[in-house]
Amino acid sequence: MKKFLPTLIVLTLCMQYLLLSINANEFTKELFGDNNILRIFGLFNNLTFSLFPVMILFFIVGTTKYMLEIFDEDKISLSEVYVIVGNALIFPLIGMSFYITCLFLRDYKVSSVEDIENLHFIFGLTIKDFCLFNRAFWLLAYSFIYYKLWHFQKIIWWKVALSLIIPLLLVSLIGVIIT
């Protein structure tokens, strides 16, 4: 029963990412018209985006558990890490809910990429504002994971911090090297 809520959160996040992908495909149709190549690309885009939260969950759970084992902190099971990380994803879920709502309540047409960058949503928010909100909600999620591992699981604070930060830094470094 403890795994039900985290699983529900991740599945809901998958649905939100799917809705985001569908909306992005609509933007593409408005910009470039409708053709078979874009439809095929849209299908692959929908599949990839809908699985993205699951990949994020596996990455955070796997790397956190692995890093804790490197630091000889094996008193927490993989299942417990799954529950903590799954529950922490409620924060990105809340952020995405607001974003998805704003995207689907739009009453405008897009004719260029600049139109997308200059869109103003509810309360005058822009895409850049949503990027900032997204980062803040992910920071809340990582803070929640840190707090639960440190305070409730009684794992030394620096081991928890390094277990969360090192994988993120490695992925960021690989991203910088690739681009």
Side-chain angles (χ1 to χ4, degrees):
M1 189 64 183
K2 283 176 64 175
K3 293 180 185 177
F4 178 74
L5 181 61
T7 304
L8 183 65
I9 290 170
V10 171
L11 291 176
T12 306
L13 204 52
C14 288
M15 287 302 298
Q16 286 182 334
Y17 271 76
L18 177 62
L19 291 174
L20 179 66
S21 176
I22 290 169
N23 196 278
N25 292 336
E26 292 299 318
F27 277 146
T28 306
K29 283 181 189 176
E30 289 177 25
L31 286 173
F32 303 108
D34 192 18
N35 63 45
N36 290 336
I37 294 174
L38 286 179
R39 266 190 239 129
I40 292 170
F41 176 75
L43 289 174
F44 285 117
N45 192 29
N46 291 346
L47 177 65
T48 305
F49 255 58
S50 63
L51 294 176
F52 194 64
V54 175
M55 291 184 282
I56 291 172
L57 176 74
F58 287 160
F59 173 78
I60 297 172
V61 168
T63 58
T64 302
K65 178 63 177 153
Y66 181 68
M67 291 299 295
L68 288 172
E69 286 180 3
I70 288 175
F71 292 127
D72 292 328
E73 291 291 342
D74 52 359
K75 60 184 168 188
I76 185 168
S77 70
L78 189 63
S79 176
E80 290 172 312
V81 175
Y82 171 80
V83 170
I84 291 170
V85 173
N87 286 332
L89 292 179
I90 191 74
F91 296 107
L93 178 75
I94 293 168
M96 282 293 290
S97 297
F98 187 67
Y99 185 60
I100 293 295
T101 303
C102 288
L103 280 177
F104 278 97
L105 292 178
R106 68 187 178 105
D107 59 350
Y108 45 81
K109 291 290 181 188
V110 176
S111 59
S112 69
V113 176
E114 290 80 25
D115 288 347
I116 295 173
E117 292 172 354
N118 296 324
L119 285 177
H120 289 281
F121 299 97
I122 298 174
F123 308 117
L125 297 172
T126 64
I127 296 288
K128 290 181 182 178
D129 296 329
F130 283 117
C131 288
L132 181 65
F133 288 152
N134 186 34
R135 287 188 181 115
F137 280 109
W138 276 104
L139 182 63
L140 283 172
Y142 270 95
S143 299
F144 179 84
I145 296 167
Y146 174 83
Y147 180 73
K148 292 289 264 185
L149 289 173
W150 170 63
H151 187 69
F152 292 109
Q153 297 295 328
K154 305 294 184 208
I155 298 173
I156 300 171
W157 68 271
W158 62 268
K159 291 180 179 181
V160 175
L162 289 176
S163 295
L164 294 173
I165 292 171
I166 289 174
L168 285 176
L169 290 176
L170 287 174
V171 167
S172 298
L173 179 65
I174 290 169
V176 168
I177 291 171
I178 290 174
T179 57

